[in-house]
Amino acid sequence: MDRHWKLICKLKDVPLDGVRRVPRGLAWQELPGVALYRTGEASVQAVLECCGVEARLSHARRYSVKVEGTKVYLDLEELSAPASMAEAALAGQAGVATSLVAYCY
């Protein structure tokens, strides 16, 4: 399966001693973002942002990252997919919205 990569930032935009936050979803959705952090000079990891938890130490969902030269990419399909059952329900992928609509008619 081919991956579709989304350019996120330049490698220099991810601090060696910090985290760069990548928002997910639409502005009104208030979804947790993805935390990018460097594990080396040209190595980047990505995890689902967790409130009050150091991202790189958490067991949160991990995202595929590709570093090509000075550019950092995330897998667009992974980035767009719901990160939890609650997000899936809000997006209508868990059948919740469809069931509610069926009962309204």
Side-chain angles (χ1 to χ4, degrees), residues 35-93:
L36 295 179
Y37 61 92
R38 301 246 308 253
T39 55
E41 199 58 41
S43 179
V44 176
Q45 298 291 316
V47 298
L48 185 66
E49 187 177 53
C50 300
C51 294
V53 178
E54 175 68 27
R56 66 184 84 198
L57 301 177
S58 74
H59 295 292
R61 178 181 174 170
R62 306 261 173 203
Y63 292 85
S64 300
V65 179
K66 177 171 79 167
V67 178
E68 256 184 11
T70 61
K71 296 177 181 173
V72 178
Y73 298 85
L74 289 177
D75 183 301
L76 185 57
E77 186 174 316
E78 289 179 8
L79 193 60
S80 301
S84 67
M85 289 301 291
E87 282 184 20
L90 289 172
Q93 294 181 5

Side-chain angles (χ1 to χ4, degrees), residues 4-25:
H4 297 281
W5 297 98
K6 177 174 177 58
L7 176 62
I8 300 300
C9 63
K10 293 183 179 179
L11 187 58
K12 69 178 183 175
D13 296 333
V14 182
L16 279 169
D17 58 350
V19 173
R20 177 180 174 101
R21 183 180 186 279
V22 177
R24 292 177 48 247

Side-chain angles (χ1 to χ4, degrees), residues 89 95-105:
V96 174
T98 307
S99 298
L100 290 174
V101 171
Y103 291 118
C104 291
Y105 291 105

